[in-house]
Amino acid sequence: MTNPQTFDTDVLIVGTDNNTDVGNTDVLVVAQLSADRTRVTLVGIPRDSYVALASGGRDKINAALFRGGITNTKETVENLFGGLTIHYVAQTNFRDFIRLCVLFNGFAVVNKVS
């Protein structure tokens, strides 16, 4: 029998809109898996949010990657969320997104609102 986790797990998902992992981010999402592993909460961060960067100064949050790499981006988001500890970071780019779409042979989106 395994011991249940006693803490939430927080993951920062970062995506760029180009074919590299440098430059500005296009997508920033914090995913939190509950301690009992029954819920996932996703919070998107608007890329044009004007924030204090962990590397110093203020700028749009999407500039954090360009101005200090993934560490700066992670620390900026942790600060933005009042000291939340980000346990993992997943970074992707547009090229990787295309590869996933091909791998899964596309995907359907169902919008219950439209």
Side-chain angles (χ1 to χ4, degrees), residues 12-97:
L12 175 62
I13 303 164
V14 177
T16 62
D17 64 355
N18 57 40
N19 290 331
T20 67
D21 292 331
V22 296
N24 292 337
T25 55
D26 199 40
V27 174
L28 292 134
V29 175
V30 174
Q32 184 177 74
L33 178 60
S34 64
D36 63 6
R37 304 305 189 240
T38 62
R39 292 179 318 281
V40 174
T41 303
L42 302 173
V43 176
I45 304 169
R47 66 183 184 177
D48 291 333
S49 300
Y50 198 69
V51 300
L53 299 179
S55 60
R58 294 183 61 80
D59 205 337
K60 292 179 182 179
I61 196 163
N62 72 337
L65 184 65
F66 178 76
R67 296 207 21 214
I70 200 66
T71 300
N72 185 47
T73 304
K74 175 184 174 282
E75 291 173 359
T76 298
V77 171
E78 287 175 333
N79 295 341
L80 181 65
F81 281 77
L84 177 72
T85 298
I86 301 291
H87 300 99
Y88 302 99
V89 177
Q91 184 177 358
T92 188
N93 57 45
F94 194 66
R95 180 186 63 237
D96 295 338
F97 177 73

